[in-house]
Amino acid sequence: MSELTHFNEQGRAKMVDVSDKAVTTRTAIAASSIIVNELIHSQITEGTNKKGDVFAVAQVAAVMAAKNTSSIIPMCHPLALTGVDVRFEWKIDESTSHYEVLIQAEVKTKGLTGVEMEALTAASAAALTIYDMCKAAGKEMVIGPTMLLRKTGGKNGDFERATLE
């Protein structure tokens, strides 16, 4: 049986000691999405949302979330991030009036531990911010799925998700 790394000798949760790990370049890309109605799609693409530029605010929220992940995920280490990039893309099926914002967050660092949680938090925060900014135009939005797409670096090696489609 493998040793439980997040528990101390009393069986209580602890932050893992990463001081013996090698400093390596680490990256992670996470994705999320949010399904919106036609009105919300129009407001975002035409820049008419009363709260402002939805994607600009969601992008800033994602960067802030990545930088503050250790403040909301108890066992995450505070990390000095070297880069955060967030991208938005529309997936539209006009025959069904299905409007979906695909969100992708990429986070990078040189450090002792990975940035998967930072990328996942960034993608999630972007989706939540879009919801918050657009809820006056419809509360039926659906967020998710949220997932890790890719990670590099670290002793566990690289990971790449097989496509979902």
Side-chain angles (χ1 to χ4, degrees):
M1 188 165 133
S2 66
E3 184 181 328
L4 298 175
T5 58
H6 285 72
F7 293 94
N8 66 18
E9 63 281 348
Q10 294 180 330
R12 299 201 179 273
K14 72 172 186 176
M15 181 186 282
V16 172
D17 182 358
V18 296
S19 57
D20 291 334
K21 286 186 167 187
V23 172
T24 62
T25 299
R26 296 159 185 268
T27 66
I29 301 173
S32 191
S33 65
I34 183 166
I35 298 169
V36 302
N37 64 30
E38 187 174 5
L39 173 60
I40 293 169
H41 171 259
S42 295
Q43 286 182 351
I44 292 172
T45 58
E46 295 170 14
T48 58
N49 183 283
K50 292 179 183 179
K51 291 187 177 183
D53 184 334
V54 174
F55 285 173
V57 175
Q59 188 159 14
V60 171
V63 171
M64 291 175 62
K67 291 169 41 174
N68 288 289
T69 299
S70 66
S71 297
I72 59 172
I73 308 294
M75 300 303 164
C76 281
H77 295 81
L79 299 177
L81 303 181
T82 58
V84 179
D85 188 18
V86 182
R87 299 171 192 270
F88 304 96
E89 181 181 326
W90 284 104
K91 181 180 175 184
I92 301 170
D93 182 346
E94 295 197 21
S95 67
T96 61
S97 296
H98 182 92
Y99 301 89
E100 184 174 12
V101 179
L102 305 175
I103 303 161
Q104 201 171 89
E106 181 175 7
V107 180
K108 296 180 181 181
T109 192
K110 280 191 174 207
L112 303 172
T113 189
V115 288
E116 296 98 303
M117 292 308 301
E118 288 73 10
L120 288 161
T121 302
S124 298
L128 290 167
T129 301
I130 292 169
Y131 185 99
D132 180 56
M133 292 191 69
C134 298
K135 64 188 177 199
K139 293 177 178 47
E140 69 282 349
M141 292 174 278
V142 177
I143 294 174
T146 302
M147 69 198 81
L148 181 66
L149 297 178
R150 184 171 162 248
K151 80 139 205 107
T152 64
K155 81 172 190 179
N156 291 327
D158 297 349
F159 165 82
E160 187 148 359
R161 177 173 298 283
T163 60
L164 294 176
E165 300 177 292

XYZ file of all heavy atoms in Angstrom, residues 6 25 51 53 57 69 126-127 146 163:
72
model
N -0.717 13.240 1.979
C -1.350 14.449 2.482
C -1.852 14.306 3.920
O -2.702 15.055 4.366
C -2.500 14.872 1.554
C -2.025 15.502 0.288
N -1.428 14.794 -0.722
C -2.037 16.787 -0.132
C -1.102 15.593 -1.705
N -1.467 16.819 -1.379
N 10.361 23.451 -15.416
C 9.319 24.219 -16.080
C 8.069 23.364 -16.081
O 8.101 22.203 -16.464
C 9.730 24.576 -17.518
O 10.915 25.372 -17.458
C 8.630 25.349 -18.237
N -22.881 45.203 -17.918
C -21.753 45.161 -16.977
C -20.407 45.367 -17.660
O -19.388 45.453 -16.990
C -21.748 43.839 -16.203
C -22.906 43.716 -15.236
C -22.765 42.466 -14.380
C -23.881 42.361 -13.364
N -23.698 41.189 -12.491
N -17.449 44.574 -20.969
C -16.855 43.591 -21.871
C -16.710 42.271 -21.129
O -15.811 42.087 -20.314
C -15.494 44.102 -22.362
C -14.838 43.183 -23.383
O -15.108 41.962 -23.392
O -14.019 43.696 -24.171
N -13.423 40.981 -18.774
C -13.540 40.829 -17.325
C -13.292 39.376 -16.929
O -12.595 39.094 -15.942
C -14.913 41.328 -16.820
C -15.092 41.055 -15.336
C -15.066 42.828 -17.107
N -4.952 30.729 -6.330
C -5.468 29.373 -6.127
C -5.170 28.845 -4.739
O -6.031 28.240 -4.085
C -4.914 28.424 -7.206
O -5.357 28.896 -8.482
C -5.389 27.003 -6.996
N -13.266 31.920 -15.001
C -13.726 32.577 -16.231
C -15.191 32.235 -16.498
O -16.000 33.120 -16.793
C -12.852 32.166 -17.412
N -15.540 30.956 -16.373
C -16.929 30.537 -16.600
C -17.863 31.175 -15.573
O -18.951 31.663 -15.917
C -17.033 29.017 -16.556
N -15.503 20.859 -16.796
C -14.199 21.485 -16.562
C -13.192 20.354 -16.419
O -13.456 19.384 -15.711
C -14.235 22.357 -15.297
O -15.254 23.348 -15.460
C -12.894 23.024 -15.045
N -9.097 13.209 -26.835
C -10.212 14.077 -27.202
C -11.529 13.500 -26.721
O -11.689 12.285 -26.582
C -10.288 14.293 -28.725
O -10.457 13.025 -29.336
C -9.043 14.974 -29.237
